[in-house]
Amino acid sequence: MAPITKCFALLSLVLSVTALTSPHISNNVFDHRRAVARVAVQAVTGQVDAPLASKRKRSLNKRCSPKSSGNSTTSSFPSSSASAAATSVPVNVAPSPVLPSSSSYHSYSSSQSIYQAPTPTPTPTPTPTPTPTPSSSTTSQAAQTSSTSSGSGVPDGYLSGINAGQGTYYSTGLGACGITNSDSDYIAAVSHLLFDSFPNYDGVNPNTNPVCNQQVTATYQGKSVTVKITDRCTGCALKDLDFSPSAFSALADESLGRIDIDWSWS
């Protein structure tokens, strides 16, 4: 029993010296007392518990260092050199990305050429030119000018050339053209068909009929006579002429009454 007591006393002495040399024991008396009691129990029972991890104290460099167990004969708390070594471990730090400055961005943007589509040129729409419409008076005047190319004043193509018909005579007086004649005058009346259909006649006032005062030359068996149209014959065919007695006598005897003639505008 005496050797066990001596060992226990020696172990207690070693632990006390170790606790006094440790800086953490002086700061925490309760931890020191618990460690001494735990070592005494282990010496009596012969069981060794797993060392309890002591509380860690934050160092000035904000890194945690583990404390050594209480039953170690040599204190293994990290020294200032170990802390310095841990601090000096190189840490890989990713470089900060280099952002393009605003001046370089603007210079790049300004150096880029921007394509602009050409603006289409509108095609002018031609404006139709209105065609002037000739008035009725202009048309009639042009028709009269173009149709009366001969000296007789009769439109070209209207009963032109030699016309064959019959000749008669009648007692003269006031004619359809508004002219009063005598039997001695060399005049004649045309058919009502020719009188009413003569070009440019309005069919209203017979005194203004363009056929009035037109001259006609008639022939019969080698004889000819020139007369002026002053009247309208209602019983004559289209190409017949009704003469004054003196004009008829210039062609044939009045006793014949009706003769076949040829006539033309003169």
Short mmCIF file of all heavy atoms in Angstrom, two decimals, residues 90-132:
data_model
loop_
_atom_site.label_atom_id
_atom_site.label_comp_id
_atom_site.label_asym_id
_atom_site.label_seq_id
_atom_site.Cartn_x
_atom_site.Cartn_y
_atom_site.Cartn_z
N PRO A 90 0.67 30.73 -47.55
CA PRO A 90 0.14 31.52 -48.69
C PRO A 90 -1.29 31.10 -49.01
O PRO A 90 -1.64 29.93 -48.97
CB PRO A 90 1.10 31.17 -49.84
CG PRO A 90 1.69 29.85 -49.46
CD PRO A 90 1.76 29.85 -47.96
N VAL A 91 -2.11 32.06 -49.28
CA VAL A 91 -3.52 31.83 -49.65
C VAL A 91 -3.71 32.28 -51.08
O VAL A 91 -3.36 33.42 -51.43
CB VAL A 91 -4.46 32.60 -48.71
CG1 VAL A 91 -5.91 32.37 -49.11
CG2 VAL A 91 -4.24 32.17 -47.27
N ASN A 92 -4.24 31.39 -51.89
CA ASN A 92 -4.49 31.74 -53.30
C ASN A 92 -5.72 32.64 -53.38
O ASN A 92 -6.82 32.26 -52.96
CB ASN A 92 -4.72 30.49 -54.13
CG ASN A 92 -3.46 29.65 -54.23
OD1 ASN A 92 -2.36 30.21 -54.24
ND2 ASN A 92 -3.62 28.33 -54.30
N VAL A 93 -5.52 33.81 -53.86
CA VAL A 93 -6.61 34.78 -54.02
C VAL A 93 -6.76 35.05 -55.50
O VAL A 93 -5.78 35.39 -56.18
CB VAL A 93 -6.31 36.09 -53.27
CG1 VAL A 93 -7.45 37.08 -53.47
CG2 VAL A 93 -6.11 35.80 -51.80
N ALA A 94 -7.97 34.88 -56.00
CA ALA A 94 -8.22 35.11 -57.44
C ALA A 94 -8.05 36.58 -57.76
O ALA A 94 -8.50 37.44 -57.00
CB ALA A 94 -9.63 34.66 -57.80
N PRO A 95 -7.38 36.89 -58.84
CA PRO A 95 -7.20 38.31 -59.20
C PRO A 95 -8.54 38.94 -59.56
O PRO A 95 -9.44 38.29 -60.07
CB PRO A 95 -6.25 38.26 -60.40
CG PRO A 95 -6.47 36.90 -60.99
CD PRO A 95 -6.78 35.99 -59.83
N SER A 96 -8.67 40.21 -59.26
CA SER A 96 -9.89 40.95 -59.59
C SER A 96 -10.00 41.10 -61.10
O SER A 96 -9.01 41.37 -61.78
CB SER A 96 -9.87 42.33 -58.94
OG SER A 96 -9.76 42.18 -57.53
N PRO A 97 -11.20 40.89 -61.61
CA PRO A 97 -11.34 41.05 -63.08
C PRO A 97 -11.12 42.48 -63.49
O PRO A 97 -11.51 43.42 -62.80
CB PRO A 97 -12.80 40.63 -63.32
CG PRO A 97 -13.48 40.86 -62.02
CD PRO A 97 -12.47 40.57 -60.95
N VAL A 98 -10.47 42.62 -64.63
CA VAL A 98 -10.16 43.94 -65.16
C VAL A 98 -11.31 44.38 -66.03
O VAL A 98 -11.61 43.73 -67.04
CB VAL A 98 -8.84 43.91 -65.97
CG1 VAL A 98 -8.54 45.30 -66.53
CG2 VAL A 98 -7.72 43.41 -65.08
N LEU A 99 -12.00 45.41 -65.62
CA LEU A 99 -13.15 45.93 -66.38
C LEU A 99 -12.67 47.02 -67.32
O LEU A 99 -11.84 47.85 -66.95
CB LEU A 99 -14.22 46.49 -65.43
CG LEU A 99 -14.83 45.48 -64.46
CD1 LEU A 99 -15.81 46.18 -63.55
CD2 LEU A 99 -15.51 44.35 -65.23
N PRO A 100 -13.22 47.02 -68.52
CA PRO A 100 -12.80 48.10 -69.45
C PRO A 100 -13.31 49.43 -68.97
O PRO A 100 -14.43 49.55 -68.46
CB PRO A 100 -13.46 47.68 -70.77
CG PRO A 100 -14.61 46.83 -70.37
CD PRO A 100 -14.18 46.12 -69.12
N SER A 101 -12.50 50.41 -69.08
CA SER A 101 -12.88 51.76 -68.67
C SER A 101 -13.89 52.34 -69.65
O SER A 101 -14.05 51.86 -70.76
CB SER A 101 -11.64 52.66 -68.59
OG SER A 101 -11.03 52.73 -69.87
N SER A 102 -14.58 53.38 -69.20
CA SER A 102 -15.60 54.00 -70.06
C SER A 102 -14.99 54.64 -71.29
O SER A 102 -15.57 54.62 -72.37
CB SER A 102 -16.37 55.06 -69.25
OG SER A 102 -15.47 56.05 -68.76
N SER A 103 -13.73 55.16 -71.12
CA SER A 103 -13.11 55.80 -72.28
C SER A 103 -12.77 54.78 -73.35
O SER A 103 -12.97 55.00 -74.53
CB SER A 103 -11.84 56.55 -71.84
OG SER A 103 -10.93 55.62 -71.23
N SER A 104 -12.27 53.58 -72.91
CA SER A 104 -11.94 52.56 -73.91
C SER A 104 -13.18 52.01 -74.56
O SER A 104 -13.20 51.67 -75.74
CB SER A 104 -11.15 51.42 -73.25
OG SER A 104 -11.94 50.80 -72.23
N TYR A 105 -14.29 51.93 -73.79
CA TYR A 105 -15.55 51.41 -74.36
C TYR A 105 -16.07 52.36 -75.42
O TYR A 105 -16.48 51.96 -76.50
CB TYR A 105 -16.58 51.23 -73.26
CG TYR A 105 -17.94 50.84 -73.77
CD1 TYR A 105 -18.18 49.53 -74.20
CD2 TYR A 105 -18.95 51.78 -73.84
CE1 TYR A 105 -19.43 49.19 -74.69
CE2 TYR A 105 -20.19 51.44 -74.32
CZ TYR A 105 -20.43 50.13 -74.74
OH TYR A 105 -21.66 49.80 -75.23
N HIS A 106 -16.00 53.68 -75.09
CA HIS A 106 -16.50 54.64 -76.07
C HIS A 106 -15.63 54.67 -77.30
O HIS A 106 -16.11 54.83 -78.42
CB HIS A 106 -16.56 56.03 -75.44
CG HIS A 106 -17.68 56.16 -74.43
ND1 HIS A 106 -18.99 55.95 -74.77
CD2 HIS A 106 -17.66 56.43 -73.10
CE1 HIS A 106 -19.76 56.12 -73.69
NE2 HIS A 106 -18.97 56.40 -72.67
N SER A 107 -14.32 54.51 -77.09
CA SER A 107 -13.44 54.50 -78.27
C SER A 107 -13.70 53.29 -79.13
O SER A 107 -13.67 53.35 -80.35
CB SER A 107 -11.97 54.54 -77.81
OG SER A 107 -11.67 53.37 -77.05
N TYR A 108 -14.02 52.15 -78.49
CA TYR A 108 -14.33 50.95 -79.28
C TYR A 108 -15.64 51.12 -80.03
O TYR A 108 -15.77 50.73 -81.19
CB TYR A 108 -14.39 49.74 -78.35
CG TYR A 108 -14.88 48.49 -79.03
CD1 TYR A 108 -14.02 47.75 -79.85
CD2 TYR A 108 -16.18 48.05 -78.86
CE1 TYR A 108 -14.48 46.61 -80.49
CE2 TYR A 108 -16.64 46.92 -79.49
CZ TYR A 108 -15.78 46.18 -80.30
OH TYR A 108 -16.24 45.06 -80.93
N SER A 109 -16.63 51.71 -79.32
CA SER A 109 -17.93 51.88 -79.97
C SER A 109 -17.83 52.84 -81.13
O SER A 109 -18.45 52.64 -82.17
CB SER A 109 -18.96 52.38 -78.94
OG SER A 109 -19.09 51.45 -77.90
N SER A 110 -17.02 53.91 -80.92
CA SER A 110 -16.91 54.88 -82.00
C SER A 110 -16.15 54.34 -83.19
O SER A 110 -16.33 54.78 -84.31
CB SER A 110 -16.24 56.15 -81.48
OG SER A 110 -14.93 55.83 -81.00
N SER A 111 -15.26 53.34 -82.91
CA SER A 111 -14.47 52.80 -84.03
C SER A 111 -15.28 51.83 -84.88
O SER A 111 -14.86 51.48 -85.97
CB SER A 111 -13.21 52.09 -83.49
OG SER A 111 -13.60 50.99 -82.67
N GLN A 112 -16.41 51.32 -84.32
CA GLN A 112 -17.21 50.38 -85.08
C GLN A 112 -18.07 51.16 -86.08
O GLN A 112 -18.71 52.14 -85.74
CB GLN A 112 -18.12 49.56 -84.15
CG GLN A 112 -17.35 48.72 -83.14
CD GLN A 112 -16.49 47.68 -83.82
OE1 GLN A 112 -16.92 47.08 -84.79
NE2 GLN A 112 -15.30 47.46 -83.32
N SER A 113 -18.09 50.70 -87.31
CA SER A 113 -18.91 51.34 -88.35
C SER A 113 -20.31 50.77 -88.30
O SER A 113 -20.50 49.57 -88.19
CB SER A 113 -18.30 51.08 -89.73
OG SER A 113 -18.23 49.70 -89.98
N ILE A 114 -21.30 51.64 -88.32
CA ILE A 114 -22.71 51.25 -88.26
C ILE A 114 -23.29 51.34 -89.66
O ILE A 114 -23.23 52.39 -90.30
CB ILE A 114 -23.50 52.16 -87.29
CG1 ILE A 114 -22.88 52.06 -85.89
CG2 ILE A 114 -24.97 51.79 -87.27
CD1 ILE A 114 -23.50 53.02 -84.91
N TYR A 115 -23.84 50.22 -90.13
CA TYR A 115 -24.41 50.19 -91.49
C TYR A 115 -25.80 50.80 -91.47
O TYR A 115 -26.62 50.47 -90.61
CB TYR A 115 -24.49 48.75 -92.00
CG TYR A 115 -25.22 48.63 -93.32
CD1 TYR A 115 -24.60 49.01 -94.51
CD2 TYR A 115 -26.52 48.14 -93.35
CE1 TYR A 115 -25.27 48.90 -95.70
CE2 TYR A 115 -27.20 48.02 -94.55
CZ TYR A 115 -26.56 48.41 -95.72
OH TYR A 115 -27.23 48.30 -96.90
N GLN A 116 -26.04 51.71 -92.34
CA GLN A 116 -27.35 52.32 -92.48
C GLN A 116 -27.85 52.07 -93.89
O GLN A 116 -27.14 52.34 -94.86
CB GLN A 116 -27.29 53.83 -92.22
CG GLN A 116 -26.92 54.18 -90.78
CD GLN A 116 -26.92 55.67 -90.54
OE1 GLN A 116 -27.09 56.44 -91.50
NE2 GLN A 116 -26.73 56.08 -89.31
N ALA A 117 -29.06 51.51 -93.97
CA ALA A 117 -29.64 51.22 -95.28
C ALA A 117 -29.96 52.52 -96.01
O ALA A 117 -30.40 53.49 -95.39
CB ALA A 117 -30.93 50.39 -95.12
N PRO A 118 -29.70 52.59 -97.32
CA PRO A 118 -30.00 53.83 -98.06
C PRO A 118 -31.49 54.08 -98.12
O PRO A 118 -32.29 53.17 -98.22
CB PRO A 118 -29.41 53.53 -99.46
CG PRO A 118 -29.41 52.05 -99.55
CD PRO A 118 -29.14 51.55 -98.15
N THR A 119 -31.86 55.35 -97.99
CA THR A 119 -33.27 55.73 -98.05
C THR A 119 -33.75 55.69 -99.49
O THR A 119 -33.15 56.31 -100.37
CB THR A 119 -33.44 57.15 -97.49
OG1 THR A 119 -32.90 57.19 -96.16
CG2 THR A 119 -34.91 57.55 -97.48
N PRO A 120 -34.83 54.91 -99.77
CA PRO A 120 -35.30 54.83 -101.17
C PRO A 120 -35.85 56.16 -101.65
O PRO A 120 -36.52 56.87 -100.91
CB PRO A 120 -36.40 53.76 -101.11
CG PRO A 120 -36.85 53.77 -99.68
CD PRO A 120 -35.63 54.11 -98.86
N THR A 121 -35.54 56.51 -102.88
CA THR A 121 -36.02 57.76 -103.47
C THR A 121 -37.40 57.51 -104.08
O THR A 121 -37.56 56.62 -104.90
CB THR A 121 -35.05 58.22 -104.56
OG1 THR A 121 -33.74 58.38 -103.97
CG2 THR A 121 -35.51 59.56 -105.16
N PRO A 122 -38.42 58.27 -103.65
CA PRO A 122 -39.77 58.03 -104.22
C PRO A 122 -39.82 58.36 -105.69
O PRO A 122 -39.24 59.34 -106.16
CB PRO A 122 -40.65 58.98 -103.39
CG PRO A 122 -39.72 60.04 -102.89
CD PRO A 122 -38.39 59.36 -102.69
N THR A 123 -40.48 57.50 -106.45
CA THR A 123 -40.63 57.70 -107.89
C THR A 123 -41.80 58.64 -108.15
O THR A 123 -42.91 58.38 -107.68
CB THR A 123 -40.89 56.36 -108.59
OG1 THR A 123 -39.81 55.46 -108.27
CG2 THR A 123 -40.97 56.54 -110.11
N PRO A 124 -41.57 59.75 -108.83
CA PRO A 124 -42.68 60.68 -109.08
C PRO A 124 -43.73 60.05 -109.99
O PRO A 124 -43.42 59.37 -110.97
CB PRO A 124 -42.00 61.88 -109.75
CG PRO A 124 -40.74 61.31 -110.34
CD PRO A 124 -40.32 60.19 -109.42
N THR A 125 -44.98 60.26 -109.65
CA THR A 125 -46.08 59.74 -110.44
C THR A 125 -46.45 60.75 -111.52
O THR A 125 -46.71 61.91 -111.22
CB THR A 125 -47.31 59.47 -109.55
OG1 THR A 125 -46.91 58.58 -108.50
CG2 THR A 125 -48.45 58.87 -110.35
N PRO A 126 -46.41 60.32 -112.79
CA PRO A 126 -46.73 61.28 -113.86
C PRO A 126 -48.18 61.71 -113.78
O PRO A 126 -49.08 60.91 -113.54
CB PRO A 126 -46.43 60.49 -115.14
CG PRO A 126 -46.55 59.06 -114.73
CD PRO A 126 -46.09 58.99 -113.30
N THR A 127 -48.41 62.99 -113.92
CA THR A 127 -49.76 63.54 -113.90
C THR A 127 -50.32 63.55 -115.31
O THR A 127 -49.69 64.09 -116.22
CB THR A 127 -49.74 64.97 -113.34
OG1 THR A 127 -49.13 64.94 -112.04
CG2 THR A 127 -51.15 65.54 -113.26
N PRO A 128 -51.46 62.89 -115.52
CA PRO A 128 -52.01 62.86 -116.89
C PRO A 128 -52.43 64.25 -117.33
O PRO A 128 -53.01 65.03 -116.57
CB PRO A 128 -53.20 61.91 -116.76
CG PRO A 128 -53.58 61.96 -115.31
CD PRO A 128 -52.29 62.16 -114.56
N THR A 129 -52.12 64.57 -118.56
CA THR A 129 -52.47 65.87 -119.13
C THR A 129 -53.88 65.79 -119.70
O THR A 129 -54.15 64.92 -120.55
CB THR A 129 -51.47 66.26 -120.23
OG1 THR A 129 -50.15 66.26 -119.67
CG2 THR A 129 -51.80 67.64 -120.80
N PRO A 130 -54.79 66.62 -119.21
CA PRO A 130 -56.16 66.53 -119.75
C PRO A 130 -56.21 66.94 -121.20
O PRO A 130 -55.55 67.88 -121.64
CB PRO A 130 -56.93 67.51 -118.85
CG PRO A 130 -55.89 68.46 -118.34
CD PRO A 130 -54.63 67.66 -118.21
N THR A 131 -56.97 66.18 -121.95
CA THR A 131 -57.14 66.47 -123.38
C THR A 131 -58.26 67.48 -123.54
O THR A 131 -59.38 67.24 -123.07
CB THR A 131 -57.47 65.18 -124.15
OG1 THR A 131 -56.44 64.23 -123.91
CG2 THR A 131 -57.60 65.46 -125.64
N PRO A 132 -57.98 68.60 -124.15
CA PRO A 132 -59.05 69.61 -124.31
C PRO A 132 -60.16 69.09 -125.21
O PRO A 132 -59.91 68.49 -126.25
CB PRO A 132 -58.31 70.81 -124.93
CG PRO A 132 -57.10 70.21 -125.59
CD PRO A 132 -56.72 69.03 -124.76
#
